[in-house]
PDB file of all heavy atoms in Angstrom:
ATOM      1  N   SER A 121     -12.559  16.493  18.491  1.00  0.00           N
ATOM      2  CA  SER A 121     -13.143  17.826  18.594  1.00  0.00           C
ATOM      3  C   SER A 121     -12.374  18.671  19.608  1.00  0.00           C
ATOM      4  O   SER A 121     -12.072  18.212  20.716  1.00  0.00           O
ATOM      5  CB  SER A 121     -14.612  17.712  19.017  1.00  0.00           C
ATOM      6  OG  SER A 121     -15.192  18.982  19.189  1.00  0.00           O
ATOM      7  N   GLY A 122     -12.057  19.891  19.230  1.00  0.00           N
ATOM      8  CA  GLY A 122     -11.370  20.808  20.124  1.00  0.00           C
ATOM      9  C   GLY A 122      -9.873  20.621  20.221  1.00  0.00           C
ATOM     10  O   GLY A 122      -9.198  21.372  20.942  1.00  0.00           O
ATOM     11  N   SER A 123      -9.315  19.625  19.516  1.00  0.00           N
ATOM     12  CA  SER A 123      -7.868  19.420  19.567  1.00  0.00           C
ATOM     13  C   SER A 123      -7.145  20.511  18.792  1.00  0.00           C
ATOM     14  O   SER A 123      -7.688  21.093  17.849  1.00  0.00           O
ATOM     15  CB  SER A 123      -7.505  18.044  19.016  1.00  0.00           C
ATOM     16  OG  SER A 123      -7.907  17.919  17.662  1.00  0.00           O
ATOM     17  N   THR A 124      -5.931  20.793  19.189  1.00  0.00           N
ATOM     18  CA  THR A 124      -5.153  21.872  18.583  1.00  0.00           C
ATOM     19  C   THR A 124      -4.287  21.332  17.451  1.00  0.00           C
ATOM     20  O   THR A 124      -3.427  20.469  17.697  1.00  0.00           O
ATOM     21  CB  THR A 124      -4.251  22.546  19.623  1.00  0.00           C
ATOM     22  OG1 THR A 124      -5.056  23.050  20.685  1.00  0.00           O
ATOM     23  CG2 THR A 124      -3.449  23.684  18.999  1.00  0.00           C
ATOM     24  N   PRO A 125      -4.465  21.809  16.226  1.00  0.00           N
ATOM     25  CA  PRO A 125      -3.603  21.371  15.129  1.00  0.00           C
ATOM     26  C   PRO A 125      -2.166  21.845  15.339  1.00  0.00           C
ATOM     27  O   PRO A 125      -1.922  22.963  15.806  1.00  0.00           O
ATOM     28  CB  PRO A 125      -4.226  22.033  13.892  1.00  0.00           C
ATOM     29  CG  PRO A 125      -5.619  22.411  14.301  1.00  0.00           C
ATOM     30  CD  PRO A 125      -5.542  22.715  15.758  1.00  0.00           C
ATOM     31  N   VAL A 126      -1.222  20.990  15.011  1.00  0.00           N
ATOM     32  CA  VAL A 126       0.197  21.320  15.114  1.00  0.00           C
ATOM     33  C   VAL A 126       0.732  21.556  13.704  1.00  0.00           C
ATOM     34  O   VAL A 126       0.665  20.646  12.863  1.00  0.00           O
ATOM     35  CB  VAL A 126       0.983  20.190  15.800  1.00  0.00           C
ATOM     36  CG1 VAL A 126       2.471  20.521  15.834  1.00  0.00           C
ATOM     37  CG2 VAL A 126       0.449  19.954  17.209  1.00  0.00           C
ATOM     38  N   PRO A 127       1.251  22.759  13.417  1.00  0.00           N
ATOM     39  CA  PRO A 127       1.782  23.012  12.065  1.00  0.00           C
ATOM     40  C   PRO A 127       2.856  21.999  11.701  1.00  0.00           C
ATOM     41  O   PRO A 127       3.619  21.527  12.560  1.00  0.00           O
ATOM     42  CB  PRO A 127       2.360  24.429  12.178  1.00  0.00           C
ATOM     43  CG  PRO A 127       1.618  25.047  13.321  1.00  0.00           C
ATOM     44  CD  PRO A 127       1.358  23.936  14.287  1.00  0.00           C
ATOM     45  N   LEU A 128       2.928  21.677  10.435  1.00  0.00           N
ATOM     46  CA  LEU A 128       3.858  20.647   9.990  1.00  0.00           C
ATOM     47  C   LEU A 128       5.305  21.081  10.190  1.00  0.00           C
ATOM     48  O   LEU A 128       6.184  20.244  10.465  1.00  0.00           O
ATOM     49  CB  LEU A 128       3.590  20.317   8.515  1.00  0.00           C
ATOM     50  CG  LEU A 128       4.175  19.007   7.977  1.00  0.00           C
ATOM     51  CD1 LEU A 128       3.844  17.828   8.877  1.00  0.00           C
ATOM     52  CD2 LEU A 128       3.657  18.753   6.562  1.00  0.00           C
ATOM     53  N   HIS A 129       5.586  22.380  10.115  1.00  0.00           N
ATOM     54  CA  HIS A 129       6.974  22.815  10.316  1.00  0.00           C
ATOM     55  C   HIS A 129       7.391  22.610  11.774  1.00  0.00           C
ATOM     56  O   HIS A 129       8.562  22.353  12.070  1.00  0.00           O
ATOM     57  CB  HIS A 129       7.159  24.273   9.886  1.00  0.00           C
ATOM     58  CG  HIS A 129       6.521  25.277  10.782  1.00  0.00           C
ATOM     59  ND1 HIS A 129       7.123  25.768  11.922  1.00  0.00           N
ATOM     60  CD2 HIS A 129       5.312  25.887  10.705  1.00  0.00           C
ATOM     61  CE1 HIS A 129       6.322  26.631  12.509  1.00  0.00           C
ATOM     62  NE2 HIS A 129       5.214  26.720  11.798  1.00  0.00           N
ATOM     63  N   ARG A 130       6.439  22.685  12.710  1.00  0.00           N
ATOM     64  CA  ARG A 130       6.737  22.368  14.103  1.00  0.00           C
ATOM     65  C   ARG A 130       7.056  20.879  14.253  1.00  0.00           C
ATOM     66  O   ARG A 130       7.927  20.496  15.030  1.00  0.00           O
ATOM     67  CB  ARG A 130       5.546  22.735  14.988  1.00  0.00           C
ATOM     68  CG  ARG A 130       5.309  24.215  15.142  1.00  0.00           C
ATOM     69  CD  ARG A 130       6.290  24.817  16.142  1.00  0.00           C
ATOM     70  NE  ARG A 130       5.995  26.199  16.395  1.00  0.00           N
ATOM     71  CZ  ARG A 130       5.131  26.632  17.302  1.00  0.00           C
ATOM     72  NH1 ARG A 130       4.456  25.752  18.032  1.00  0.00           N
ATOM     73  NH2 ARG A 130       4.938  27.927  17.476  1.00  0.00           N
ATOM     74  N   MET A 131       6.309  20.063  13.543  1.00  0.00           N
ATOM     75  CA  MET A 131       6.571  18.629  13.572  1.00  0.00           C
ATOM     76  C   MET A 131       7.961  18.328  13.010  1.00  0.00           C
ATOM     77  O   MET A 131       8.670  17.438  13.504  1.00  0.00           O
ATOM     78  CB  MET A 131       5.500  17.882  12.789  1.00  0.00           C
ATOM     79  CG  MET A 131       5.472  16.386  13.038  1.00  0.00           C
ATOM     80  SD  MET A 131       5.049  15.929  14.722  1.00  0.00           S
ATOM     81  CE  MET A 131       3.307  16.405  14.757  1.00  0.00           C
ATOM     82  N   ALA A 132       8.362  19.079  11.985  1.00  0.00           N
ATOM     83  CA  ALA A 132       9.692  18.893  11.413  1.00  0.00           C
ATOM     84  C   ALA A 132      10.776  19.280  12.413  1.00  0.00           C
ATOM     85  O   ALA A 132      11.817  18.616  12.512  1.00  0.00           O
ATOM     86  CB  ALA A 132       9.825  19.716  10.136  1.00  0.00           C
ATOM     87  N   GLU A 133      10.542  20.343  13.185  1.00  0.00           N
ATOM     88  CA  GLU A 133      11.500  20.740  14.216  1.00  0.00           C
ATOM     89  C   GLU A 133      11.618  19.661  15.284  1.00  0.00           C
ATOM     90  O   GLU A 133      12.718  19.342  15.757  1.00  0.00           O
ATOM     91  CB  GLU A 133      11.062  22.061  14.844  1.00  0.00           C
ATOM     92  CG  GLU A 133      11.123  23.244  13.885  1.00  0.00           C
ATOM     93  CD  GLU A 133      10.484  24.487  14.480  1.00  0.00           C
ATOM     94  OE1 GLU A 133       9.958  24.403  15.623  1.00  0.00           O
ATOM     95  OE2 GLU A 133      10.511  25.548  13.824  1.00  0.00           O
ATOM     96  N   LEU A 134      10.483  19.083  15.665  1.00  0.00           N
ATOM     97  CA  LEU A 134      10.486  18.016  16.652  1.00  0.00           C
ATOM     98  C   LEU A 134      11.257  16.805  16.141  1.00  0.00           C
ATOM     99  O   LEU A 134      12.083  16.215  16.866  1.00  0.00           O
ATOM    100  CB  LEU A 134       9.047  17.620  16.982  1.00  0.00           C
ATOM    101  CG  LEU A 134       8.857  16.374  17.860  1.00  0.00           C
ATOM    102  CD1 LEU A 134       9.453  16.595  19.236  1.00  0.00           C
ATOM    103  CD2 LEU A 134       7.375  16.019  17.965  1.00  0.00           C
ATOM    104  N   ALA A 135      11.006  16.414  14.888  1.00  0.00           N
ATOM    105  CA  ALA A 135      11.686  15.260  14.317  1.00  0.00           C
ATOM    106  C   ALA A 135      13.194  15.486  14.253  1.00  0.00           C
ATOM    107  O   ALA A 135      13.983  14.555  14.508  1.00  0.00           O
ATOM    108  CB  ALA A 135      11.131  14.966  12.921  1.00  0.00           C
ATOM    109  N   SER A 136      13.608  16.699  13.944  1.00  0.00           N
ATOM    110  CA  SER A 136      15.043  17.009  13.902  1.00  0.00           C
ATOM    111  C   SER A 136      15.670  16.926  15.284  1.00  0.00           C
ATOM    112  O   SER A 136      16.807  16.452  15.439  1.00  0.00           O
ATOM    113  CB  SER A 136      15.262  18.405  13.300  1.00  0.00           C
ATOM    114  OG  SER A 136      14.813  18.447  11.953  1.00  0.00           O
ATOM    115  N   ALA A 137      14.939  17.374  16.301  1.00  0.00           N
ATOM    116  CA  ALA A 137      15.454  17.282  17.670  1.00  0.00           C
ATOM    117  C   ALA A 137      15.611  15.832  18.098  1.00  0.00           C
ATOM    118  O   ALA A 137      16.607  15.459  18.731  1.00  0.00           O
ATOM    119  CB  ALA A 137      14.521  18.032  18.619  1.00  0.00           C
ATOM    120  N   VAL A 138      14.642  15.001  17.761  1.00  0.00           N
ATOM    121  CA  VAL A 138      14.719  13.576  18.104  1.00  0.00           C
ATOM    122  C   VAL A 138      15.899  12.931  17.391  1.00  0.00           C
ATOM    123  O   VAL A 138      16.607  12.076  17.960  1.00  0.00           O
ATOM    124  CB  VAL A 138      13.407  12.866  17.736  1.00  0.00           C
ATOM    125  CG1 VAL A 138      13.543  11.357  17.879  1.00  0.00           C
ATOM    126  CG2 VAL A 138      12.257  13.380  18.588  1.00  0.00           C
ATOM    127  N   ALA A 139      16.154  13.334  16.151  1.00  0.00           N
ATOM    128  CA  ALA A 139      17.253  12.750  15.381  1.00  0.00           C
ATOM    129  C   ALA A 139      18.603  13.045  15.997  1.00  0.00           C
ATOM    130  O   ALA A 139      19.561  12.294  15.785  1.00  0.00           O
ATOM    131  CB  ALA A 139      17.206  13.266  13.944  1.00  0.00           C
ATOM    132  N   GLY A 140      18.697  14.119  16.776  1.00  0.00           N
ATOM    133  CA  GLY A 140      19.966  14.482  17.389  1.00  0.00           C
ATOM    134  C   GLY A 140      20.257  13.776  18.693  1.00  0.00           C
ATOM    135  O   GLY A 140      21.362  13.910  19.244  1.00  0.00           O
ATOM    136  N   SER A 141      19.327  12.999  19.199  1.00  0.00           N
ATOM    137  CA  SER A 141      19.539  12.313  20.474  1.00  0.00           C
ATOM    138  C   SER A 141      20.386  11.057  20.281  1.00  0.00           C
ATOM    139  O   SER A 141      20.414  10.464  19.200  1.00  0.00           O
ATOM    140  CB  SER A 141      18.203  11.945  21.115  1.00  0.00           C
ATOM    141  OG  SER A 141      17.482  11.046  20.301  1.00  0.00           O
ATOM    142  N   ASP A 142      21.081  10.651  21.347  1.00  0.00           N
ATOM    143  CA  ASP A 142      21.996   9.513  21.258  1.00  0.00           C
ATOM    144  C   ASP A 142      21.266   8.186  21.056  1.00  0.00           C
ATOM    145  O   ASP A 142      21.810   7.266  20.439  1.00  0.00           O
ATOM    146  CB  ASP A 142      22.852   9.437  22.528  1.00  0.00           C
ATOM    147  CG  ASP A 142      23.801  10.626  22.663  1.00  0.00           C
ATOM    148  OD1 ASP A 142      24.126  11.227  21.618  1.00  0.00           O
ATOM    149  OD2 ASP A 142      24.187  10.949  23.800  1.00  0.00           O
ATOM    150  N   ASP A 143      20.069   8.073  21.606  1.00  0.00           N
ATOM    151  CA  ASP A 143      19.337   6.808  21.523  1.00  0.00           C
ATOM    152  C   ASP A 143      18.271   6.826  20.427  1.00  0.00           C
ATOM    153  O   ASP A 143      17.287   6.097  20.494  1.00  0.00           O
ATOM    154  CB  ASP A 143      18.693   6.484  22.867  1.00  0.00           C
ATOM    155  CG  ASP A 143      17.731   7.577  23.327  1.00  0.00           C
ATOM    156  OD1 ASP A 143      17.750   8.673  22.732  1.00  0.00           O
ATOM    157  OD2 ASP A 143      16.966   7.334  24.289  1.00  0.00           O
ATOM    158  N   ALA A 144      18.450   7.679  19.416  1.00  0.00           N
ATOM    159  CA  ALA A 144      17.466   7.796  18.336  1.00  0.00           C
ATOM    160  C   ALA A 144      17.371   6.497  17.555  1.00  0.00           C
ATOM    161  O   ALA A 144      18.374   5.803  17.355  1.00  0.00           O
ATOM    162  CB  ALA A 144      17.844   8.944  17.402  1.00  0.00           C
TER     163      ALA A 144
END
Side-chain angles (χ1 to χ4, degrees):
S121 177
S123 61
T124 302
V126 177
L128 197 50
H129 71 85
R130 290 282 185 86
M131 195 64 70
E133 293 171 358
L134 172 64
S136 297
V138 171
S141 62
D142 294 336
D143 59 347

